[in-house]
Amino acid sequence: MSDEPHVMSTTQRLVYMAEQIARNFAALGEDRTVTALAEHLTSYWDPHMKDQIVAIARDHPDSLSPPVAAAVARLAQGRTPAGPNPAQFNAVDEVGHCDAG
Amino acid sequence: MTFSRETDHGTPPAIATGKSVTLTIDGQSATMPEGTSIMRAASLTGCSIPKLCATDNMESFGSCRLCLVEVEGRAGYPASCTTPVADGMVVRTQTDRLKQLRRGVMELYISDHPLDCLTCAANGDCELQDQAGAVGLRDVRYGYDGATNMGQAKDQSNPYFDFDPSKCIVCSRCVRACEEVQGTFALTIENKGFESKVSPSQGEDFLGSECVSCGACVQACPTASLIEKKVVEIGTPDRAVITTCAYCGVGCTFRAEMRGEELVRMVPWKEGKANRGHSCVKGRFAWGYAQHQDRILNPMIRASVSEPWREVSWEEAIAHTASEFRRIQAKYGTRSIGGITSSRCTNEETFLVQKLVRQGFGNNNVDTCARVCHSPTGYGLSKTFGTSAGTQDFDSVMKADVILVIGANPTDGHPVFASRMKKRLRQGAKLIVIDPRRTDLVQSPHVMAEHHLPLRPGTNVAMLTALAHVIVTEKLYDEAFIRERCDWDEFQDWADFVSEPARSPEAIEPLAGVKAEEVRAAARLYATGGNGAIYYGLGVTEHSQGSSTVMAIANLAMATGNVGREGVGVNPLRGQNNVQGACDMGSFPHEFSGYRHVSDDATRGLFEQAWGVTLDGEPGLRIPNMLDAATDGRFKGIFIQGEDILQSDPNTHHVAAGLAAMECVVVQDLFLNETANYAHIFLPGSTFLEKDGTFTNAERRIQMVRKVMAPLNGYADWEIVQLVANAMGLGWSYDHPAQIMDEIAALTPTFAGVHYDRLEAEGSLQWPANEAAPDGTPTMHIGGFVRGKGKFVVTDYVPTDEKTGPRFPLLLTTGRILSHYNVGAQTRRTSNTAWHPEDRLEIHPSDAENRGLKDGDWVTLRSRAGETTLRALITERVAPGVVYTTFHHPETQANVITTDFSDWATNCPEYKVTAVQVSASNGPSEWQQDYASQARNSRRVVPLAAAE
Amino acid sequence: MTRVFISRDMASAALGADDVARAFAEAGCEVVRTGSRGLFSIEPLVEVETEQGRIGFGPIAPRDVAAVLVGSHAQRLGRVEELPFFAGQQRFTFARCGIIDPLSLADYAAHAGWQGLEKARGLSPQAVVDAVKASGLRGRGGAGFPTGIKWQTVLEAASSTKFIVCNADEGDSGTFADRMLMEGDPYCLIEGMAIAAHAVGAGHGYIYIRSEYPYAIKTMRAAIDASAHLIAPFTLEVREGAGAYVCGEETALLDSIEGKRGQVRAKPPLPALQGLFGEPTVINNVLSLAAVPFILAEGANAYAAVGFGRSRGTMPVQLAGNVRHGGLYEIGFGITLGELVNEIGGGTASGRPVRAVQVGGPLGAYFPPSMFHLPFDYEAFAQAGGLIGHAGITVFDDSVDMAHMARFAMEFCAAESCGKCTPCRIGSTRGVEIMDRIIGARDAAPVTVSEANGGYLGKALYSRSPDRIDVSIEAQTSLLRDLADTMKYGSLCALGGFTPYPVLSALDYFPEDFGAAAPAKEAAE
Amino acid sequence: MEEFIGAWLSANGAARDRLLPLLHAIQEEAGYIDDALVPVIAKALNLSRADVHGVITFYHDFRRRAPGRHVVKLCRAESCQARGAAALEVQAQDRLGVAMGETRADGQVALEPVYCLGLCAIGPNALVDGRPVARIDGAVLEQIAVEVAA
């Protein structure tokens, strides 16, 4: 790590976070690391973050270590890109909906 | 409730032996536990024996000689406070002879006491006055021409209370309170005989003495010798309301003593189960912020942060808030806004904020300040034990034999609990302290740690694993416990892991900087010294391996069988008054109240049914991720209740950039805090004195907060959240927080039995309180772990990426000080600044010398994240290579320095490890200057009248 | 070479014994420094070893060396033990004092030393305690509590740590027996403590000696060092007091050893159960512990055979003050006060009539000669409104002003009060003030600050101008009695509780000194 | 003095019950116990400053200021009074030019009360710079006065 001030981009941070989690699971051995990491990302990451890490894995596969890449691959199975969910938003009653306007 | 003094039985309850004795007191038969004093027995029987030196939160002393009684068959007149009851004893407490003796003693007292009762501040609330009446003293035949101790100068140095030695009766209650209750030993009696005088430290004034201003002496004083300045100013109270302190996670119960609508004083309540009648300088005295002129009482809005604030009506402010959030969501999507709940607000308020986010915002973007303190506790204890909370009640410490304190400084951070811990240590329990700093617990009057392991910041996991290495390799573990309570295979995996030579104390000695032999000795003591209790704080959690450290602690406790009974356990010392509650209430983006994951369909279904909406099954954003998303343009609005993330969260530049990128920042707070500099809407908050609700302390104890005065801002915080919710169309209709608690109980299995009527009746409840545990749960995991089998988790030491190097050779760690609380928003607005007017950088003499620094010099503190300036305090409390500061003052901007490295599992910031350089300086940094000017600019307010 | 024996006792030294010893040494004699025989009118005493035994000469000055050595000196006393003052004594405890070199282990052993300890070590702890019980030994510090019962309590207390504490804070004026024993026969005390340690299972002991006794401190320390191997594994150390009379009270003494202000503790808990550092503790006076080796060596019966009523054994009585033959006189209980003062003590040193004697130190009662029939016995003295205390008898001639002595009793209490309990803390000062009013009225001159109190205490005592209270002798005397009642029954310890003894006894027996015919003995209970 | 305290403690141990012995040692070394040493003592014995201050002020022996070059401790107790100590006290104050309980302005001599030296049959008694003197009358007082004038 250099001594320069570091400001991470969101992408860098997500990669950093995933790698950091993986390093903390590393003592479990690679298989269990992949499982644990995938579970962790599923449980604690917001959908957009998940989408982002999946996109990173797709676009920049070299930026992820093998266990992280494997875990993200597992995460990617069965995920559809998330976005605004108007139906859910509109589930709030009319007054709220009007207010938002 | 009307004003009446708390009943004082004179002496504490006897130490339980299970035996009881029957005696006769004034003709009445009474059966009492063996060891009870005659005085207490009489009081419990309804006979009131005069007394002055006795009070039931201290050991009997026997000095005032007013409580003499007659015991059949015994010569003389034994003091009832020091004489235990005996079977068949016949006691008379009211005879002519006793009256004569008591009058004789009282006559002596009054011969050396001013006769200015009518103008005395304690008139009507003075035990000496009461007792003089009770013994029927009518005349002082000694006259008043003799020697006296009157006419001595008053000591008014303490900002909160006065000491008038002229009114002192030398009962030593203050001295004993300082010793027995507080454990500071700041007071003594100077000289002897007639010249005996209460003396703070070496006969100096209170402020300059060792006194920590806990108020125990003032509470103990039976005259006006030690009296609160507020009583002098306002008069004696005429009513009292029981409520819970809003400072740290100890959760002290207080009597808020009022005169009319004015708060006269806060007196710790003896029945309070968390504090047992004790207090600290914050809860006892530092409540003046509630009336501080800086409080914002009108809502304000502005279009941009460069504009001055415009005061508006509540209606306008609420409508604007709702419309902004809806506008942003319509434009940027459902997940573009979120909220932050406050650990300082009540359970009910916190519950409402997360409900607002989940039900109203339609996402899970809710987080809480626990993110930056105890989120690793939640994660770690949940994984290992199955519950995101400490295992014990505070009383448990009195049964501990070995106390292991890791990364906590309770005498500053949790002073009331520290006093109990110190009491236990004085009774002979052994202490191990793992901390880079030489905290007061390591050595202070009458306390001496058996082992202090001054490890290098960032090596907690290595250290705890080394302790485990000793316990496993020396076979000090509790095999029966592990086989019965834990998963044996997991234990074996863990045991194999910790047994590797690389994890031995010898192997980590160069890394942690602690002598291996000391580590081994500490491990042996913890494993074999009887009941072992672990207490930890933010020095555990605020690391890149915070969660691992918590799990490593849990591993140690399980391996040694120190879980599931009194006197043992794993106990996080929670930072804020309601950080436990805020977490319990579903403030985290991945879970509902009661720690149930949002992806769990059954739980979600329960809430969906109750709230009439479909809920998001995906976790939301954590605070740092919200800020990232904001910087990326995907997160545009936030509702922040009672938290100052700009000052308290790490890497201020990152926080500021995130906030600046948002379109609507709503801050609800008492004051225009630092975060409000980036806000568009300000909703004035209410203090804990102005609302009803509950707080949950570090021992999972749910306690009542009661409104003692009307909110100056017009609404309690829960009402404000409800207004916002309803403006967003949620149709809430809570009339009282009790209804919110009913909803919490209905939706949260661990809270199923928690209702206001029970809290009123029982004072408090410790969750889980439900059908399985109708009276609550003081000690958890009795008989079995909540998750089933206790889980050993392998915790590998992964060094932080924040590393020292040539440019940043020192490690900065941060903490707090007794007189201040967190970012200081409250305490800085009280006279507590008398003790700590500024943050100082503690630096070891050798590091200071290398840099040519003298004590008090201004220094620049620089990290990779930023720089700030503050003054140096040269001390051997910190080891060479380590510097330390507090973060109570916004001027210091300590978090400009801290980086955004964080815990791998929870993103709890790594506040405790920052590589820094320190150099001489002549003034504030550029950032500090820019910031000060921007803050000034941002705090301009156009008042309501002018705005109209 | 001629062997001479000269006392190294502090009293002898105060009278010039060191110079005398030097002179004999310079004259080529082998000088053996002993303890004091205990008769101060013959000090400095020089005993010359001859074929006829040790021939005493005294008092002797350095210039007398030659005359003594040729045996022609006018103060030739013959064999000291044959002097009437010594011949009538029953020296159980002080048998060796004045005879042996206090620090010579050989001397001690040669004079039956360590026999008691040897016997005790052959017995079970319970058997030792039983022997002490059977001897009838009662606490020689003043309270007269049976020593064996105290030991029994400590023996039965369940703790792995127990202490033996010797109370050598002998602060009572008129007493010096503890000092003499520690300076003259320190191993006797050490042996007694070692026996106590064996009896109750204690590992460590303290001897708390007042700082006013520098000689005793030095001697005891040297003796402990020299005998450590003989009492091991039991260990001992000396703690030096610091000028607080109240530390003679056992609980204050314990606090003082613990490094605290010497304030009195409330009892219970008894020190026997929760004493030093909260552990079971035997705390006994020097004379109690020093009596034990005799009891073990000679048998309980030998000790119990002497005495009177429930007061068994001997008491080293100390004759002090204005007395012709002042010194230490060890005798079985039962001897009368009059015999002690007039026959043994020889009346006053001034030659004037005896007017009063104070028995038992500053907290003891003053008795007139009309009470000289009292037998020396705990119960008899208690019944007469007094106490034996540490068996010091201070003799006053007819020049004494008993009102002044009553005032002094209050003043002493005020100076030494620990300040804990109110009757003593405030009462003693008020007592001085009352006495000043009485004396002032008696002398028919108003009391002024300068006149009544030039001294250091006076400054504290008068800070405000007189007020309207009844200052007549009658009113003040009645107030004095009420105050004495409050102090006696209200005080936490004997300092405040017993100060009324000298005050009321002075008032009752010598009313004429209090200005008026005070009502005869009515409030004294 | 701090070095002295450190050395004393390493030789004698640093438990609380060493407080009185330590105070005696300091006073013997320095003549008195300076208030400035209290924090050092307190820290060394793990006590509060208040604890130490309370102990120092309780005991008559401990001085907080430098004593006179000579100290005469004159017994005021009953046995000495029975032998004329009260009159001697007045004489001594006169002859030494200092009130009881005080140190003479020139610092040459302090006259302190003591209650019993255990020399009760040969009074009035005193300790003159620690040396016992008995049967003090006018002549002996004069010798003492000359001695402490030196």
Side-chain angles (χ1 to χ4, degrees), chain C residues 29-227:
Chain C
C29 297
E30 181 195 347
V31 180
V32 178
R33 300 300 299 268
T34 63
S36 172
R37 291 274 197 169
L39 175 61
F40 297 114
S41 54
I42 59 171
E43 294 277 4
L45 170 70
V46 178
E47 292 178 65
V48 182
E49 193 173 57
T50 69
E51 281 164 16
Q52 291 78 42
R54 281 160 62 162
I55 303 301
F57 298 83
I60 290 301
R63 61 175 180 275
D64 301 331
V65 172
V68 168
L69 289 177
V70 297
S72 67
H73 196 280
Q75 264 87 47
R76 186 176 194 280
L77 303 169
R79 284 161 56 100
V80 176
E81 55 272 24
E82 287 168 5
L83 293 175
F85 186 86
F86 294 100
Q89 294 195 43
Q90 290 164 301
R91 285 214 163 180
F92 289 6
T93 302
F94 279 80
R96 283 173 292 260
C97 191
I99 295 171
I100 61 167
D101 171 352
L103 290 173
S104 162
L105 283 169
D107 270 12
Y108 186 67
H111 287 78
W114 307 119
Q115 288 180 5
L117 180 59
E118 231 163 84
K119 278 242 174 82
R121 281 178 170 161
L123 298 172
S124 70
Q126 184 60 58
V128 177
V129 172
D130 288 344
V132 174
K133 277 188 196 162
S135 75
L137 177 65
R138 293 167 71 177
R140 295 292 188 249
F145 188 83
T147 303
I149 293 178
K150 193 184 270 188
W151 289 19
Q152 185 74 54
T153 309
V154 179
L155 171 61
E156 285 169 7
S159 175
S160 55
T161 308
K162 297 176 185 179
F163 294 102
I164 309 294
V165 173
C166 171
N167 183 346
D169 197 51
E170 183 183 51
D172 289 350
S173 177
T175 64
F176 41 80
D178 295 353
R179 184 185 61 67
M180 273 184 59
L181 185 101
M182 290 188 287
E183 294 181 22
D185 192 10
Y187 297 127
C188 177
L189 175 58
I190 291 171
E191 185 180 354
M193 292 181 75
I195 294 168
H198 172 73
V200 303
H204 190 65
Y206 293 86
I207 305 172
Y208 187 96
I209 309 177
R210 59 200 300 260
S211 62
E212 293 85 345
Y213 284 2
Y215 286 55
I217 291 170
K218 209 172 146 197
T219 306
M220 280 313 311
R221 286 198 167 131
I224 288 169
D225 285 348
S227 63

Side-chain angles (χ1 to χ4, degrees), chain A residues 18-94:
Chain A
E19 295 290 349
Q20 188 192 5
I21 299 164
R23 273 185 285 154
N24 274 279
F25 284 137
L28 298 173
E30 177 144 352
D31 280 1
R32 285 159 73 191
T33 299
V34 171
T35 311
L37 176 57
E39 275 175 18
H40 189 94
L41 299 182
T42 307
S43 294
Y44 296 104
W45 282 28
D46 134 284
H48 195 84
M49 291 161 69
K50 290 172 187 159
D51 292 346
Q52 280 176 297
I53 197 80
V54 169
I56 292 165
R58 185 188 59 222
D59 302 340
H60 307 282
D62 296 348
S63 62
L64 300 180
S65 65
V68 174
V72 173
R74 203 170 296 180
L75 178 74
Q77 288 167 8
R79 271 200 72 76
T80 52
N85 180 344
Q88 198 175 317
F89 177 51
N90 289 328
V92 178
D93 70 21
E94 277 302 309

Side-chain angles (χ1 to χ4, degrees), chain C residues 143-428:
Chain C
F145 188 83
T147 303
I149 293 178
K150 193 184 270 188
W151 289 19
Q152 185 74 54
T153 309
V154 179
L155 171 61
E156 285 169 7
S159 175
S160 55
T161 308
K162 297 176 185 179
F163 294 102
I164 309 294
V165 173
C166 171
N167 183 346
D169 197 51
E170 183 183 51
D172 289 350
S173 177
T175 64
F176 41 80
D178 295 353
R179 184 185 61 67
M180 273 184 59
L181 185 101
M182 290 188 287
E183 294 181 22
D185 192 10
Y187 297 127
C188 177
L189 175 58
I190 291 171
E191 185 180 354
M193 292 181 75
I195 294 168
H198 172 73
V200 303
H204 190 65
Y206 293 86
I207 305 172
Y208 187 96
I209 309 177
R210 59 200 300 260
S211 62
E212 293 85 345
Y213 284 2
Y215 286 55
I217 291 170
K218 209 172 146 197
T219 306
M220 280 313 311
R221 286 198 167 131
I224 288 169
D225 285 348
S227 63
H229 61 290
L230 296 170
I231 60 167
F234 183 56
T235 51
L236 268 178
E237 66 182 287
V238 167
R239 278 306 168 87
E240 182 179 355
Y245 173 79
V246 74
C247 288
E249 197 284 332
E250 60 180 8
T251 60
L253 186 150
L254 296 178
D255 269 21
S256 187
I257 293 180
E258 289 179 13
K260 299 174 184 164
R261 295 164 55 81
Q263 278 198 338
V264 177
R265 299 180 188 171
K267 287 186 275 194
L270 293 171
L273 296 171
Q274 288 175 47
L276 192 62
F277 306 110
E279 303 292 351
T281 301
V282 167
I283 175 161
N284 278 138
N285 176 256
V286 173
L287 299 184
S288 313
L289 290 163
V292 170
F294 177 93
I295 292 168
L296 267 291
E298 306 293 325
N301 290 338
Y303 194 77
V306 177
F308 182 90
R310 287 172 48 216
S311 308
R312 306 314 308 171
T314 59
M315 188 73 201
V317 176
Q318 298 123 87
L319 295 167
N322 195 340
V323 64
R324 208 162 138 216
H325 302 303
L328 180 127
Y329 196 86
E330 184 174 354
I331 185 78
F333 285 97
I335 186 169
T336 67
L337 191 49
E339 285 174 276
L340 284 166
V341 174
N342 291 328
E343 289 168 30
I344 294 156
T348 66
S350 61
R352 300 172 66 103
V354 173
R355 181 152 188 251
V357 295
Q358 186 179 29
V359 184
L363 307 178
Y366 286 100
F367 291 111
S370 63
M371 298 294 285
F372 277 11
H373 60 277
L374 276 181
F376 225 71
D377 164 58
Y378 289 106
E379 279 68 32
F381 266 65
Q383 219 162 16
L387 46 99
I388 288 182
H390 199 45
I393 299 175
T394 299
V395 180
F396 293 82
D397 69 15
D398 62 352
S399 65
V400 66
D401 174 351
M402 292 310 294
H404 173 84
M405 297 317 296
R407 181 193 188 279
F408 179 79
M410 286 293 190
E411 182 185 343
F412 181 72
C413 181
E416 297 297 341
S417 169
C418 80
K420 184 168 175 177
C421 78
T422 312
C424 176
R425 176 172 60 89
I426 303 180
S428 54

